[in-house]
Amino acid sequence: MNDSPGWATPGSSPSDGEHPGASGEQPQPPSQPADAPKWSAEQPPPGQWQSPAAGQNPPPPAQPGAGWGGYPPQPPPHGGQYGPQYGYPGGPGQWGQPPAAKPGVIPLRPLGLGEILDGAVATMRSHWRSVLPITLVVATVVQVLSMLVQKFMLEDLTSTLDRENPTPDQLLSAVGGALPVTAATQFIDFVAGVLVTAMLTMIFSRAVLGRHSSVSEAWRDARPQLLRLIGLTCLLAVGLILLAAVLILPVALSRNPGLLVLGSFLWLGLAIWLGIKFSLASPALMLERSTVFKAFARSSKLVSGAWWRIFWITLLTAIITAIFAAIIVLPLQMLGFSAFGDGLDSMQDPAAQTAWGPLLLTAIGLIIAQSVVLPIQSGVTVLLYVDQRIRREGLDLELARAAGVENYGTTGG
C-alpha cells in the first residue's frame, strides 16, 4: 500500500473547463478497458487519498487503470454529466436531485463562495485542537523574534537620526540600515508561512473526508514535502524580484516619473496574474506528492478558465482577514502608544515605535490575529484546489469512496 497520506497524482484528466460526458456520450464501465473513455482509463495508478485511522483496514493496492485509492473508476452520475446533478454555475440543474454527500466540512460537489469560506471556518472550529496549537506556536515564535529584531536593530538606527532635521546622509543610512531588519523579519515570516501552510494543508485534506488529524500526524505527513515547498515558494519570490528588475529598475534609473509609474503598474498586474495562476501550486505539491515544476503546471491547468473566479475569492478572503486583523491589532497598538508613550502622536516618533510597551502589545495583537487568519487563508486555498478538481476531474467520486460513502454517484443516489 502506498503510505502517502495525501491526494492522488491526477495523471490525465478531461480538457480544461469540460466535464466527463459533456459531449453526450455515455462512458463505458471500467470492465471495458479497450473502449473506456479517456477520463476514466487514465486515472492515476500510483496515488491515493487515504489517511486511515489506527486500527482501520487499508484500502486495496492500486491496480492499473484504477481510480482514487485503487478502486475502479466510476462514470459520472445521472446521465454522464456533473451539471444536472449538482446545478453548479454553468450546469442546467434539476429539481428533486438528492443532496450531495457531506462526510466532512464541505459537500462533495462544486462549491460556492460561501461554502468555501464556511468550510475553512468550520475546519478551524471543529479541528481547533490541531489547528490552534500550530498557528499559535508559530505566530508566537514569529512575533517574538520580530519584536527583538525591531527593538535592538531599529533602536540603534533611530538613536543616530536627527528627528527634527535629518540630513540626506542620515536618511540614506537609516534606509540602508533598515534593509537588514526588513530582510530578517521577512525571512522569519517566510519560514513560518511555509511550515504553517504545509501542516494546515494536511489537516484540511483530512477534514474534507471528516477525519481528524493530530499535530504530530500533520507534521509527519507534511515533512517529506517541506523542502520542495520551500523551493516552490522561493521560486515564486525570485520570479517576482526578477520581474521587478526587468520592469521597474531600468525606468527607475532613467528618473522618469511617468515611466516609473507605468512600469510599477505593469509589474503589479503581472505579479497578481502570476500569483493567481500559481495559487494552487502549494496544495498540488503537498497533496499530490508532486515535484515543484509539476505543481506549477497543475496549478496553471486547474486555474485555466477560472482565473477571475479564483481571483475574486482570494481577494475577498484577503479583505476579510485584513479587516479582522486590523480590528484586533490596531486597538492594542494604540493602547501601547497611549499607555507607554506620549499618546497617539507618538505613533510617528521612531523612538516610541521601538519602546517595549508598544512593541509588546502590538505583538500580542498580531499573535491573536495570525492564529485566526492563517488557517482561513490556508483553508480557502486548499478548498479552491478541491473545488477545481471536483469541477474538472470528478474528484468528488474518489473523495466519497475514500470517506466510505456508500452508493455515491450511482443512479439510485
Side-chain angles (χ1 to χ4, degrees), residues 243-305:
L243 192 62
V246 171
L247 297 177
I248 299 179
L249 185 59
V251 295
L253 295 176
S254 69
R255 298 187 178 182
N256 188 320
L259 290 178
L260 180 59
V261 172
L262 179 62
S264 299
F265 274 106
L266 185 59
W267 174 82
L268 180 62
L270 288 175
I272 293 175
W273 180 74
L274 289 173
I276 298 300
K277 183 179 180 66
F278 298 127
S279 61
L280 305 185
S282 172
L285 178 81
M286 297 300 299
L287 299 177
E288 296 177 13
R289 302 298 192 185
S290 65
T291 61
V292 172
F293 292 103
K294 286 183 179 179
F296 280 129
R298 280 291 288 158
S299 178
S300 178
K301 184 177 182 180
L302 291 173
V303 172
S304 177

Tab-separated table of all heavy atoms in Angstrom, residues 243-305:
chain	number	residue	atom	x	y	z
A	243	LEU	N	11.144	39.949	-12.167
A	243	LEU	CA	10.178	40.714	-12.943
A	243	LEU	C	10.268	42.199	-12.600
A	243	LEU	O	10.190	43.070	-13.485
A	243	LEU	CB	8.774	40.193	-12.661
A	243	LEU	CG	7.646	40.676	-13.577
A	243	LEU	CD1	7.892	40.235	-15.009
A	243	LEU	CD2	6.301	40.144	-13.085
A	244	ALA	N	10.456	42.502	-11.318
A	244	ALA	CA	10.625	43.893	-10.908
A	244	ALA	C	11.913	44.476	-11.460
A	244	ALA	O	11.967	45.652	-11.860
A	244	ALA	CB	10.596	43.997	-9.383
A	245	ALA	N	12.961	43.651	-11.482
A	245	ALA	CA	14.236	44.140	-12.006
A	245	ALA	C	14.137	44.481	-13.488
A	245	ALA	O	14.793	45.408	-13.970
A	245	ALA	CB	15.320	43.096	-11.776
A	246	VAL	N	13.313	43.753	-14.208
A	246	VAL	CA	13.173	43.999	-15.647
A	246	VAL	C	12.254	45.186	-15.928
A	246	VAL	O	12.530	46.005	-16.822
A	246	VAL	CB	12.649	42.725	-16.344
A	246	VAL	CG1	12.291	43.011	-17.798
A	246	VAL	CG2	13.676	41.609	-16.265
A	247	LEU	N	11.161	45.309	-15.167
A	247	LEU	CA	10.145	46.314	-15.481
A	247	LEU	C	10.319	47.629	-14.730
A	247	LEU	O	9.929	48.686	-15.239
A	247	LEU	CB	8.752	45.751	-15.182
A	247	LEU	CG	8.321	44.539	-16.008
A	247	LEU	CD1	6.959	44.046	-15.555
A	247	LEU	CD2	8.284	44.882	-17.487
A	248	ILE	N	10.882	47.585	-13.532
A	248	ILE	CA	10.937	48.789	-12.699
A	248	ILE	C	12.331	49.388	-12.635
A	248	ILE	O	12.503	50.612	-12.721
A	248	ILE	CB	10.414	48.478	-11.279
A	248	ILE	CG1	8.953	48.021	-11.338
A	248	ILE	CG2	10.549	49.689	-10.370
A	248	ILE	CD1	8.365	47.662	-9.994
A	249	LEU	N	13.346	48.546	-12.471
A	249	LEU	CA	14.700	49.059	-12.276
A	249	LEU	C	15.183	49.933	-13.437
A	249	LEU	O	15.720	51.026	-13.207
A	249	LEU	CB	15.663	47.898	-12.029
A	249	LEU	CG	17.098	48.285	-11.697
A	249	LEU	CD1	17.132	49.154	-10.439
A	249	LEU	CD2	17.962	47.041	-11.493
A	250	PRO	N	15.012	49.523	-14.700
A	250	PRO	CA	15.506	50.391	-15.786
A	250	PRO	C	14.844	51.766	-15.808
A	250	PRO	O	15.523	52.784	-15.993
A	250	PRO	CB	15.164	49.588	-17.055
A	250	PRO	CG	15.086	48.171	-16.597
A	250	PRO	CD	14.508	48.251	-15.222
A	251	VAL	N	13.522	51.813	-15.623
A	251	VAL	CA	12.848	53.112	-15.657
A	251	VAL	C	13.157	53.931	-14.404
A	251	VAL	O	13.139	55.170	-14.438
A	251	VAL	CB	11.327	52.933	-15.824
A	251	VAL	CG1	11.011	52.320	-17.164
A	251	VAL	CG2	10.739	52.097	-14.696
A	252	ALA	N	13.452	53.255	-13.288
A	252	ALA	CA	13.845	53.985	-12.084
A	252	ALA	C	15.189	54.659	-12.290
A	252	ALA	O	15.405	55.799	-11.838
A	252	ALA	CB	13.896	53.037	-10.888
A	253	LEU	N	16.093	53.977	-12.973
A	253	LEU	CA	17.397	54.578	-13.252
A	253	LEU	C	17.290	55.747	-14.228
A	253	LEU	O	18.113	56.666	-14.201
A	253	LEU	CB	18.344	53.512	-13.798
A	253	LEU	CG	18.708	52.374	-12.823
A	253	LEU	CD1	19.579	51.329	-13.507
A	253	LEU	CD2	19.413	52.935	-11.597
A	254	SER	N	16.277	55.705	-15.092
A	254	SER	CA	16.088	56.813	-16.040
A	254	SER	C	15.507	58.047	-15.377
A	254	SER	O	15.513	59.128	-15.962
A	254	SER	CB	15.174	56.370	-17.183
A	254	SER	OG	13.850	56.172	-16.704
A	255	ARG	N	14.991	57.901	-14.156
A	255	ARG	CA	14.423	59.005	-13.369
A	255	ARG	C	13.280	59.702	-14.100
A	255	ARG	O	13.125	60.909	-14.012
A	255	ARG	CB	15.516	60.009	-12.999
A	255	ARG	CG	16.615	59.409	-12.136
A	255	ARG	CD	17.583	60.441	-11.649
A	255	ARG	NE	18.600	59.855	-10.793
A	255	ARG	CZ	19.575	60.553	-10.179
A	255	ARG	NH1	19.636	61.872	-10.350
A	255	ARG	NH2	20.451	59.938	-9.420
A	256	ASN	N	12.513	58.919	-14.806
A	256	ASN	CA	11.319	59.431	-15.468
A	256	ASN	C	10.107	59.019	-14.646
A	256	ASN	O	9.752	57.831	-14.620
A	256	ASN	CB	11.226	58.886	-16.897
A	256	ASN	CG	10.103	59.529	-17.694
A	256	ASN	OD1	9.016	59.759	-17.180
A	256	ASN	ND2	10.380	59.819	-18.959
A	257	PRO	N	9.459	59.952	-13.943
A	257	PRO	CA	8.344	59.568	-13.055
A	257	PRO	C	7.208	58.859	-13.787
A	257	PRO	O	6.622	57.914	-13.265
A	257	PRO	CB	7.880	60.903	-12.474
A	257	PRO	CG	9.046	61.818	-12.625
A	257	PRO	CD	9.738	61.386	-13.876
A	258	GLY	N	6.885	59.316	-15.006
A	258	GLY	CA	5.794	58.694	-15.745
A	258	GLY	C	6.081	57.250	-16.088
A	258	GLY	O	5.234	56.361	-15.906
A	259	LEU	N	7.302	56.991	-16.574
A	259	LEU	CA	7.680	55.608	-16.897
A	259	LEU	C	7.763	54.750	-15.639
A	259	LEU	O	7.450	53.552	-15.681
A	259	LEU	CB	9.013	55.595	-17.639
A	259	LEU	CG	9.011	56.143	-19.069
A	259	LEU	CD1	10.425	56.106	-19.656
A	259	LEU	CD2	8.053	55.341	-19.952
A	260	LEU	N	8.180	55.360	-14.540
A	260	LEU	CA	8.272	54.604	-13.285
A	260	LEU	C	6.888	54.146	-12.832
A	260	LEU	O	6.705	52.995	-12.408
A	260	LEU	CB	8.921	55.461	-12.207
A	260	LEU	CG	9.091	54.796	-10.832
A	260	LEU	CD1	9.939	53.539	-10.948
A	260	LEU	CD2	9.700	55.775	-9.839
A	261	VAL	N	5.900	55.036	-12.917
A	261	VAL	CA	4.529	54.664	-12.550
A	261	VAL	C	3.998	53.585	-13.480
A	261	VAL	O	3.374	52.602	-13.045
A	261	VAL	CB	3.615	55.910	-12.572
A	261	VAL	CG1	2.160	55.505	-12.385
A	261	VAL	CG2	4.038	56.903	-11.500
A	262	LEU	N	4.257	53.748	-14.788
A	262	LEU	CA	3.793	52.758	-15.755
A	262	LEU	C	4.438	51.399	-15.508
A	262	LEU	O	3.756	50.359	-15.515
A	262	LEU	CB	4.110	53.240	-17.173
A	262	LEU	CG	3.701	52.291	-18.314
A	262	LEU	CD1	2.194	52.079	-18.313
A	262	LEU	CD2	4.175	52.844	-19.651
A	263	GLY	N	5.747	51.391	-15.282
A	263	GLY	CA	6.434	50.126	-15.005
A	263	GLY	C	5.951	49.473	-13.725
A	263	GLY	O	5.814	48.245	-13.657
A	264	SER	N	5.648	50.297	-12.712
A	264	SER	CA	5.167	49.742	-11.438
A	264	SER	C	3.797	49.103	-11.601
A	264	SER	O	3.541	48.010	-11.073
A	264	SER	CB	5.113	50.853	-10.384
A	264	SER	OG	6.398	51.406	-10.162
A	265	PHE	N	2.904	49.783	-12.325
A	265	PHE	CA	1.575	49.211	-12.554
A	265	PHE	C	1.660	47.930	-13.392
A	265	PHE	O	0.922	46.963	-13.145
A	265	PHE	CB	0.668	50.242	-13.234
A	265	PHE	CG	-0.027	51.151	-12.276
A	265	PHE	CD1	0.375	52.468	-12.140
A	265	PHE	CD2	-1.078	50.686	-11.500
A	265	PHE	CE1	-0.267	53.311	-11.235
A	265	PHE	CE2	-1.728	51.517	-10.597
A	265	PHE	CZ	-1.320	52.842	-10.469
A	266	LEU	N	2.548	47.932	-14.381
A	266	LEU	CA	2.715	46.738	-15.208
A	266	LEU	C	3.238	45.579	-14.377
A	266	LEU	O	2.769	44.437	-14.504
A	266	LEU	CB	3.656	47.043	-16.369
A	266	LEU	CG	3.854	45.923	-17.395
A	266	LEU	CD1	2.534	45.523	-18.033
A	266	LEU	CD2	4.864	46.346	-18.467
A	267	TRP	N	4.201	45.855	-13.511
A	267	TRP	CA	4.738	44.802	-12.640
A	267	TRP	C	3.659	44.287	-11.686
A	267	TRP	O	3.542	43.076	-11.479
A	267	TRP	CB	5.908	45.347	-11.824
A	267	TRP	CG	6.406	44.362	-10.809
A	267	TRP	CD1	7.255	43.323	-11.003
A	267	TRP	CD2	6.056	44.319	-9.417
A	267	TRP	NE1	7.456	42.634	-9.836
A	267	TRP	CE2	6.720	43.218	-8.842
A	267	TRP	CE3	5.231	45.105	-8.608
A	267	TRP	CZ2	6.613	42.898	-7.505
A	267	TRP	CZ3	5.118	44.777	-7.264
A	267	TRP	CH2	5.810	43.690	-6.729
A	268	LEU	N	2.875	45.202	-11.127
A	268	LEU	CA	1.833	44.784	-10.194
A	268	LEU	C	0.801	43.899	-10.878
A	268	LEU	O	0.374	42.875	-10.328
A	268	LEU	CB	1.150	46.020	-9.594
A	268	LEU	CG	0.028	45.761	-8.587
A	268	LEU	CD1	0.567	45.015	-7.373
A	268	LEU	CD2	-0.625	47.074	-8.159
A	269	GLY	N	0.407	44.281	-12.109
A	269	GLY	CA	-0.569	43.472	-12.828
A	269	GLY	C	-0.051	42.080	-13.136
A	269	GLY	O	-0.759	41.080	-12.944
A	270	LEU	N	1.190	41.994	-13.607
A	270	LEU	CA	1.771	40.682	-13.904
A	270	LEU	C	1.968	39.863	-12.626
A	270	LEU	O	1.792	38.638	-12.634
A	270	LEU	CB	3.102	40.852	-14.630
A	270	LEU	CG	3.013	41.333	-16.083
A	270	LEU	CD1	4.410	41.587	-16.645
A	270	LEU	CD2	2.275	40.309	-16.949
A	271	ALA	N	2.345	40.535	-11.539
A	271	ALA	CA	2.537	39.818	-10.275
A	271	ALA	C	1.220	39.216	-9.788
A	271	ALA	O	1.181	38.064	-9.319
A	271	ALA	CB	3.113	40.762	-9.217
A	272	ILE	N	0.127	39.975	-9.896
A	272	ILE	CA	-1.181	39.444	-9.483
A	272	ILE	C	-1.595	38.293	-10.395
A	272	ILE	O	-2.093	37.262	-9.926
A	272	ILE	CB	-2.235	40.577	-9.506
A	272	ILE	CG1	-1.916	41.612	-8.427
A	272	ILE	CG2	-3.638	40.003	-9.302
A	272	ILE	CD1	-2.827	42.824	-8.461
A	273	TRP	N	-1.400	38.464	-11.699
A	273	TRP	CA	-1.779	37.411	-12.635
A	273	TRP	C	-1.013	36.120	-12.357
A	273	TRP	O	-1.602	35.028	-12.296
A	273	TRP	CB	-1.517	37.872	-14.067
A	273	TRP	CG	-1.873	36.841	-15.101
A	273	TRP	CD1	-3.113	36.463	-15.504
A	273	TRP	CD2	-0.944	36.026	-15.837
A	273	TRP	NE1	-3.033	35.471	-16.451
A	273	TRP	CE2	-1.718	35.182	-16.676
A	273	TRP	CE3	0.443	35.941	-15.870
A	273	TRP	CZ2	-1.130	34.255	-17.532
A	273	TRP	CZ3	1.033	35.025	-16.731
A	273	TRP	CH2	0.241	34.196	-17.550
A	274	LEU	N	0.297	36.228	-12.154
A	274	LEU	CA	1.101	35.032	-11.868
A	274	LEU	C	0.744	34.456	-10.491
A	274	LEU	O	0.733	33.231	-10.317
A	274	LEU	CB	2.586	35.380	-11.922
A	274	LEU	CG	3.154	35.673	-13.314
A	274	LEU	CD1	4.595	36.160	-13.202
A	274	LEU	CD2	3.077	34.442	-14.206
A	275	GLY	N	0.467	35.346	-9.525
A	275	GLY	CA	0.120	34.856	-8.193
A	275	GLY	C	-1.139	34.010	-8.200
A	275	GLY	O	-1.198	32.968	-7.527
A	276	ILE	N	-2.162	34.423	-8.937
A	276	ILE	CA	-3.390	33.634	-9.032
A	276	ILE	C	-3.161	32.383	-9.883
A	276	ILE	O	-3.653	31.293	-9.547
A	276	ILE	CB	-4.526	34.482	-9.620
A	276	ILE	CG1	-4.817	35.674	-8.703
A	276	ILE	CG2	-5.786	33.639	-9.801
A	276	ILE	CD1	-5.237	35.308	-7.306
A	277	LYS	N	-2.422	32.520	-10.956
A	277	LYS	CA	-2.164	31.386	-11.851
A	277	LYS	C	-1.488	30.238	-11.106
A	277	LYS	O	-1.770	29.062	-11.357
A	277	LYS	CB	-1.290	31.848	-13.017
A	277	LYS	CG	-1.000	30.779	-14.071
A	277	LYS	CD	-0.151	31.356	-15.170
A	277	LYS	CE	0.166	30.322	-16.244
A	277	LYS	NZ	-1.036	29.886	-16.984
A	278	PHE	N	-0.598	30.571	-10.176
A	278	PHE	CA	0.125	29.551	-9.430
A	278	PHE	C	-0.337	29.451	-7.979
A	278	PHE	O	0.386	28.902	-7.137
A	278	PHE	CB	1.628	29.834	-9.473
A	278	PHE	CG	2.213	29.814	-10.861
A	278	PHE	CD1	2.952	30.882	-11.337
A	278	PHE	CD2	1.996	28.730	-11.694
A	278	PHE	CE1	3.484	30.868	-12.615
A	278	PHE	CE2	2.520	28.706	-12.983
A	278	PHE	CZ	3.268	29.782	-13.445
A	279	SER	N	-1.526	29.952	-7.682
A	279	SER	CA	-2.012	29.945	-6.305
A	279	SER	C	-2.336	28.548	-5.792
A	279	SER	O	-2.352	28.321	-4.582
A	279	SER	CB	-3.254	30.835	-6.182
A	279	SER	OG	-4.306	30.356	-7.020
A	280	LEU	N	-2.626	27.616	-6.680
A	280	LEU	CA	-2.957	26.247	-6.270
A	280	LEU	C	-1.757	25.313	-6.334
A	280	LEU	O	-1.912	24.099	-6.175
A	280	LEU	CB	-4.089	25.705	-7.149
A	280	LEU	CG	-5.363	26.547	-7.211
A	280	LEU	CD1	-6.437	25.841	-8.018
A	280	LEU	CD2	-5.871	26.881	-5.815
A	281	ALA	N	-0.570	25.862	-6.574
A	281	ALA	CA	0.625	25.016	-6.664
A	281	ALA	C	0.974	24.395	-5.319
A	281	ALA	O	1.416	23.239	-5.253
A	281	ALA	CB	1.808	25.832	-7.195
A	282	SER	N	0.761	25.141	-4.242
A	282	SER	CA	1.117	24.618	-2.916
A	282	SER	C	0.286	23.391	-2.536
A	282	SER	O	0.851	22.354	-2.170
A	282	SER	CB	0.985	25.722	-1.874
A	282	SER	OG	1.147	25.228	-0.574
A	283	PRO	N	-1.065	23.448	-2.585
A	283	PRO	CA	-1.811	22.217	-2.281
A	283	PRO	C	-1.558	21.111	-3.283
A	283	PRO	O	-1.568	19.929	-2.911
A	283	PRO	CB	-3.276	22.668	-2.310
A	283	PRO	CG	-3.296	23.953	-3.046
A	283	PRO	CD	-1.973	24.596	-2.791
A	284	ALA	N	-1.311	21.446	-4.550
A	284	ALA	CA	-0.994	20.398	-5.531
A	284	ALA	C	0.308	19.708	-5.159
A	284	ALA	O	0.432	18.478	-5.260
A	284	ALA	CB	-0.904	20.994	-6.929
A	285	LEU	N	1.291	20.474	-4.726
A	285	LEU	CA	2.576	19.897	-4.324
A	285	LEU	C	2.424	18.994	-3.109
A	285	LEU	O	2.950	17.877	-3.076
A	285	LEU	CB	3.561	21.028	-4.017
A	285	LEU	CG	4.944	20.592	-3.533
A	285	LEU	CD1	5.816	20.192	-4.713
A	285	LEU	CD2	5.623	21.710	-2.737
A	286	MET	N	1.679	19.466	-2.108
A	286	MET	CA	1.577	18.720	-0.856
A	286	MET	C	0.669	17.501	-0.995
A	286	MET	O	1.009	16.411	-0.494
A	286	MET	CB	1.032	19.634	0.241
A	286	MET	CG	1.907	20.824	0.576
A	286	MET	SD	3.560	20.355	1.142
A	286	MET	CE	3.146	19.415	2.610
A	287	LEU	N	-0.458	17.641	-1.663
A	287	LEU	CA	-1.459	16.581	-1.660
A	287	LEU	C	-1.266	15.577	-2.787
A	287	LEU	O	-1.735	14.445	-2.676
A	287	LEU	CB	-2.858	17.202	-1.742
A	287	LEU	CG	-3.207	18.112	-0.568
A	287	LEU	CD1	-4.573	18.741	-0.760
A	287	LEU	CD2	-3.147	17.355	0.750
A	288	GLU	N	-0.613	15.962	-3.853
A	288	GLU	CA	-0.339	15.030	-4.940
A	288	GLU	C	1.077	14.471	-4.869
A	288	GLU	O	1.477	13.676	-5.718
A	288	GLU	CB	-0.563	15.711	-6.288
A	288	GLU	CG	-2.003	16.124	-6.517
A	288	GLU	CD	-2.198	16.856	-7.835
A	288	GLU	OE1	-1.265	16.829	-8.672
A	288	GLU	OE2	-3.269	17.457	-8.035
A	289	ARG	N	1.840	14.924	-3.879
A	289	ARG	CA	3.220	14.464	-3.708
A	289	ARG	C	4.022	14.654	-4.991
A	289	ARG	O	4.791	13.779	-5.397
A	289	ARG	CB	3.251	12.983	-3.296
A	289	ARG	CG	2.511	12.668	-2.016
A	289	ARG	CD	3.099	13.389	-0.827
A	289	ARG	NE	2.587	12.883	0.433
A	289	ARG	CZ	2.883	13.410	1.614
A	289	ARG	NH1	3.654	14.468	1.669
A	289	ARG	NH2	2.389	12.915	2.719
A	290	SER	N	3.837	15.774	-5.640
A	290	SER	CA	4.479	16.019	-6.923
A	290	SER	C	5.761	16.817	-6.728
A	290	SER	O	6.135	17.169	-5.601
A	290	SER	CB	3.525	16.777	-7.856
A	290	SER	OG	3.249	18.070	-7.339
A	291	THR	N	6.423	17.106	-7.832
A	291	THR	CA	7.613	17.938	-7.804
A	291	THR	C	7.219	19.405	-7.943
A	291	THR	O	6.055	19.731	-8.189
A	291	THR	CB	8.567	17.550	-8.940
A	291	THR	OG1	7.900	17.763	-10.204
A	291	THR	CG2	8.966	16.081	-8.841
A	292	VAL	N	8.194	20.284	-7.817
A	292	VAL	CA	7.918	21.710	-7.848
A	292	VAL	C	7.340	22.131	-9.191
A	292	VAL	O	6.300	22.800	-9.263
A	292	VAL	CB	9.195	22.513	-7.523
A	292	VAL	CG1	8.966	23.998	-7.749
A	292	VAL	CG2	9.628	22.252	-6.088
A	293	PHE	N	7.994	21.733	-10.268
A	293	PHE	CA	7.560	22.184	-11.581
A	293	PHE	C	6.245	21.514	-12.004
A	293	PHE	O	5.431	22.130	-12.695
A	293	PHE	CB	8.663	21.930	-12.617
A	293	PHE	CG	9.876	22.786	-12.393
A	293	PHE	CD1	11.027	22.256	-11.821
A	293	PHE	CD2	9.862	24.122	-12.728
A	293	PHE	CE1	12.143	23.049	-11.605
A	293	PHE	CE2	10.970	24.934	-12.518
A	293	PHE	CZ	12.111	24.395	-11.951
A	294	LYS	N	6.019	20.277	-11.581
A	294	LYS	CA	4.729	19.651	-11.855
A	294	LYS	C	3.617	20.352	-11.087
A	294	LYS	O	2.484	20.468	-11.578
A	294	LYS	CB	4.778	18.167	-11.488
A	294	LYS	CG	5.579	17.318	-12.465
A	294	LYS	CD	5.523	15.850	-12.067
A	294	LYS	CE	6.302	14.985	-13.059
A	294	LYS	NZ	6.267	13.555	-12.676
A	295	ALA	N	3.926	20.832	-9.884
A	295	ALA	CA	2.921	21.559	-9.107
A	295	ALA	C	2.560	22.874	-9.791
A	295	ALA	O	1.390	23.275	-9.824
A	295	ALA	CB	3.442	21.816	-7.689
A	296	PHE	N	3.553	23.567	-10.336
A	296	PHE	CA	3.268	24.787	-11.095
A	296	PHE	C	2.374	24.478	-12.295
A	296	PHE	O	1.420	25.214	-12.587
A	296	PHE	CB	4.563	25.431	-11.567
A	296	PHE	CG	5.269	26.234	-10.514
A	296	PHE	CD1	6.610	26.028	-10.239
A	296	PHE	CD2	4.596	27.206	-9.793
A	296	PHE	CE1	7.267	26.765	-9.277
A	296	PHE	CE2	5.247	27.954	-8.821
A	296	PHE	CZ	6.586	27.732	-8.562
A	297	ALA	N	2.699	23.397	-12.999
A	297	ALA	CA	1.894	23.032	-14.173
A	297	ALA	C	0.475	22.655	-13.778
A	297	ALA	O	-0.496	23.016	-14.466
A	297	ALA	CB	2.568	21.881	-14.914
A	298	ARG	N	0.321	21.936	-12.675
A	298	ARG	CA	-1.011	21.549	-12.217
A	298	ARG	C	-1.839	22.771	-11.844
A	298	ARG	O	-3.018	22.876	-12.184
A	298	ARG	CB	-0.903	20.620	-11.007
A	298	ARG	CG	-0.599	19.191	-11.370
A	298	ARG	CD	-1.775	18.538	-12.068
A	298	ARG	NE	-2.867	18.270	-11.134
A	298	ARG	CZ	-4.123	18.114	-11.487
A	298	ARG	NH1	-4.472	18.237	-12.750
A	298	ARG	NH2	-5.056	17.834	-10.591
A	299	SER	N	-1.224	23.712	-11.132
A	299	SER	CA	-1.943	24.912	-10.753
A	299	SER	C	-2.380	25.700	-11.982
A	299	SER	O	-3.524	26.161	-12.063
A	299	SER	CB	-1.057	25.792	-9.860
A	299	SER	OG	-1.715	26.988	-9.514
A	300	SER	N	-1.479	25.835	-12.936
A	300	SER	CA	-1.815	26.560	-14.158
A	300	SER	C	-2.987	25.910	-14.882
A	300	SER	O	-3.894	26.595	-15.377
A	300	SER	CB	-0.597	26.613	-15.084
A	300	SER	OG	-0.900	27.258	-16.292
A	301	LYS	N	-3.019	24.581	-14.920
A	301	LYS	CA	-4.095	23.864	-15.597
A	301	LYS	C	-5.422	23.999	-14.855
A	301	LYS	O	-6.476	24.209	-15.470
A	301	LYS	CB	-3.719	22.392	-15.732
A	301	LYS	CG	-4.743	21.565	-16.517
A	301	LYS	CD	-4.261	20.140	-16.680
A	301	LYS	CE	-5.254	19.329	-17.497
A	301	LYS	NZ	-4.811	17.926	-17.675
A	302	LEU	N	-5.370	23.901	-13.528
A	302	LEU	CA	-6.606	23.987	-12.745
A	302	LEU	C	-7.186	25.402	-12.746
A	302	LEU	O	-8.403	25.580	-12.715
A	302	LEU	CB	-6.343	23.535	-11.304
A	302	LEU	CG	-6.052	22.048	-11.104
A	302	LEU	CD1	-5.633	21.774	-9.666
A	302	LEU	CD2	-7.246	21.191	-11.484
A	303	VAL	N	-6.323	26.398	-12.775
A	303	VAL	CA	-6.793	27.785	-12.754
A	303	VAL	C	-7.291	28.226	-14.124
A	303	VAL	O	-8.133	29.119	-14.228
A	303	VAL	CB	-5.662	28.712	-12.251
A	303	VAL	CG1	-6.038	30.179	-12.405
A	303	VAL	CG2	-5.341	28.409	-10.793
A	304	SER	N	-6.793	27.582	-15.175
A	304	SER	CA	-7.164	27.982	-16.528
A	304	SER	C	-8.684	27.960	-16.704
A	304	SER	O	-9.351	26.975	-16.409
A	304	SER	CB	-6.517	27.040	-17.545
A	304	SER	OG	-6.910	27.364	-18.860
A	305	GLY	N	-9.224	29.076	-17.198
A	305	GLY	CA	-10.665	29.195	-17.386
A	305	GLY	C	-11.415	29.625	-16.142
A	305	GLY	O	-12.616	29.892	-16.212
